[in-house]
């Protein structure tokens, strides 16, 4: 995977630099020299705002289906998100009229002809259907979201979708079953009968329907640019908060969703995660800022 260049101080200092501590000078340098996009064959990685990393699937001629090589490369981006303290939120979206139509079935056909088995092991297509992870990922669904693309979205933390987006699990029509991770997750989110409807018929439903059913969190008029912009606004709303709180809050919600035992999730948060939250600088800073009636100055999370 291509790596972005490390930030460097600008050759011409910011006019206020002489009166600021080094930490603030470095922050100014980051603002002057944002990270450049990193282009891969079928997607690119960008940094559209401070603390935000975005994957844009860019294979519109194939409706943004994902082959094995691309899947592995995108999975590495989520590892970067979790391991880079300066990154707090991820976004995934697509170019053109599709968000993602799942795995590349032409590649699958060649694999079938040679007897190769396509693994459904975690974390799944593009590292998302069975991702555990530490930090939130927002799906910005701009168009067709089919098969493995739907499986990816089912495990994202928030889903922003165009009103024109269409969702389906058409695997049964091709003799396949979506086993990469979405079936139990969608059942938890949508309920038994609605998930059965999608899986056993393979029919398409619109974003408004999935909003009513509880999967889509925000609806947006427009195409890929408008949906990506809306997702970025959500990400920036998150980044106004403590990055420690993002990690611990997300963990608590997902424990209840994934394990299904409410009291176990509450106990784990109280015994294991709350002490870690309290030890961090951001816990005291948020309270202090409230008392002093000012905006908090968050530090990157060490959790």
């Amino acid at each position: 995977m291509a790596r972005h260049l490390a930030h460097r101080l600008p050759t011409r200092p910011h006019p206020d630099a002489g009166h600021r501590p080094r930490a603030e000078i470095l922050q100014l340098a980051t603002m002057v020299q944002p990270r450049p996009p990193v282009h891969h064959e079928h997607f690119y990685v960008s940094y559209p705002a401070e603390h935000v990393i975005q994957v844009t699937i860019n294979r519109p001629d194939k409706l943004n289906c994902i082959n094995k090589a691309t899947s592995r490369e995108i999975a590495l981006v989520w590892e970067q998100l979790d391991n880079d303290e300066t990154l707090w939120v991820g976004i995934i979206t697509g170019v053109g009229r599709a968000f993602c139509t799942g795995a590349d079935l032409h590649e699958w056909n060649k694999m079938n002809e040679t007897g190769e088995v396509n693994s459904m092991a975690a974390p799944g297509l593009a590292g998302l259907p069975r991702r555990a992870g530490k930090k939130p990922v927002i799906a910005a669904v701009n168009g067709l979201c089919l098969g493995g693309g739907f499986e990816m979205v089912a495990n994202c933390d928030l889903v922003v979708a165009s009103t024109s987006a269409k969702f389906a699990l058409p695997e049964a029509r091709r003799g396949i079953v979506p086993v990469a991770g979405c079936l139990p997750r969608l059942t938890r989110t949508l309920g038994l009968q609605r998930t059965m409807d999608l899986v056993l018929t393979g029919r398409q439903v619109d974003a408004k329907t999935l909003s009513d059913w509880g999967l889509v969190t925000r609806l947006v008029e427009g195409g890929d640019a408008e949906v990506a912009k809306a997702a970025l606004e959500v990400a920036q709303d998150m980044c106004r908060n403590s990055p420690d709180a993002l990690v611990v809050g997300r963990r608590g919600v997902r424990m209840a969703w994934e394990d299904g035992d409410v009291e176990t999730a509450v106990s784990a948060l109280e015994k294991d995660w709350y002490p870690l939250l309290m030890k961090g600088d951001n816990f005291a800073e948020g309270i202090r800022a409230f008392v002093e009636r000012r905006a908090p100055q968050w530090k990157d999370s060490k959790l």
Side-chain angles (χ1 to χ4, degrees):
M1 177 182 176
R3 296 179 179 271
H4 61 266
L5 295 175
H7 299 317
R8 296 179 180 176
L9 290 173
T11 54
R12 179 177 296 177
H14 189 279
D16 292 334
H19 304 286
R20 295 175 181 265
R22 178 170 174 78
E24 292 188 38
I25 296 173
L26 288 171
Q27 184 179 21
L28 286 169
T30 301
M31 295 171 63
V32 172
Q33 295 185 337
R35 303 189 199 189
V38 180
H39 291 269
H40 297 258
E41 184 177 6
H42 297 311
F43 72 100
Y44 60 90
V45 179
S46 58
Y47 304 86
E50 188 178 11
H51 305 307
V52 180
I53 187 170
Q54 177 173 313
V55 169
T56 303
I57 309 170
N58 188 22
R59 200 185 186 190
D61 57 319
K62 299 291 185 181
L63 294 178
N64 289 338
C65 69
I66 295 175
N67 60 25
K68 291 177 65 178
T70 300
S71 179
R72 289 191 295 267
E73 290 170 340
I74 295 177
L76 291 176
V77 176
W78 311 129
E79 292 185 18
Q80 179 188 352
L81 168 64
D82 283 335
N83 294 328
D84 187 334
E85 293 176 358
T86 68
L87 297 174
W88 300 1
V89 181
I91 298 172
I92 184 166
T93 192
V95 169
R97 68 187 189 94
F99 167 75
C100 175
T101 54
D104 186 337
L105 293 188
H106 290 282
E107 184 180 57
W108 269 39
N109 187 54
K110 292 178 181 178
M111 292 166 59
N112 289 341
E113 290 174 350
T114 61
E116 183 180 353
V117 177
N118 191 48
S119 173
M120 291 292 116
L125 189 69
L128 284 175
R130 295 173 66 183
R131 173 183 179 258
K134 182 168 67 173
K135 300 174 187 176
V137 173
I138 302 169
V141 183
N142 53 292
L144 292 172
C145 181
L146 310 179
F150 200 165
E151 295 213 74
M152 291 158 53
V153 166
N155 193 39
C156 285
D157 298 291
L158 281 86
V159 182
V160 177
S162 167
T163 53
S164 62
K166 302 293 184 182
F167 298 76
L169 293 170
E171 282 87 344
R173 299 181 179 185
R174 296 290 180 263
I176 310 170
V177 174
V179 299
C182 79
L183 297 186
R185 289 175 169 85
L186 284 178
T187 302
R188 290 283 176 93
T189 303
L190 306 181
L192 173 67
Q193 286 77 15
R194 287 169 174 167
T195 305
M196 286 289 192
D197 183 353
L198 295 172
V199 174
L200 301 185
T201 69
R203 73 184 181 98
Q204 286 191 9
V205 295
D206 58 26
K208 175 62 166 59
T209 298
L210 287 184
S211 176
D212 293 341
W213 288 2
L215 180 73
V216 172
T217 49
R218 299 199 187 189
L219 290 169
V220 179
E221 297 285 346
D224 48 6
E226 289 78 12
V227 173
K229 179 181 178 182
L232 178 58
E233 290 172 353
V234 175
Q236 290 177 301
D237 282 345
M238 292 182 180
C239 291
R240 293 186 181 95
N241 301 323
S242 161
D244 294 340
L246 297 182
V247 171
V248 177
R250 176 184 181 273
R251 183 69 259 151
V253 173
R254 293 190 74 94
M255 280 194 294
W257 182 58
E258 293 165 3
D259 300 334
D261 185 335
V262 174
E263 185 53 37
T264 296
V266 171
S267 295
L269 276 181
E270 182 262 324
K271 293 178 181 178
D272 301 331
W273 287 95
Y274 186 62
L276 294 175
L277 186 68
M278 289 182 64
K279 289 179 182 178
D281 295 329
N282 292 319
F283 185 87
E285 167 60 13
I287 297 171
R288 187 184 304 114
F290 173 80
V291 171
E292 296 175 359
R293 298 183 179 182
R294 60 174 174 80
Q297 301 297 313
W298 304 122
K299 294 183 179 180
D300 294 332
S301 176
K302 304 296 182 183
L303 298 181

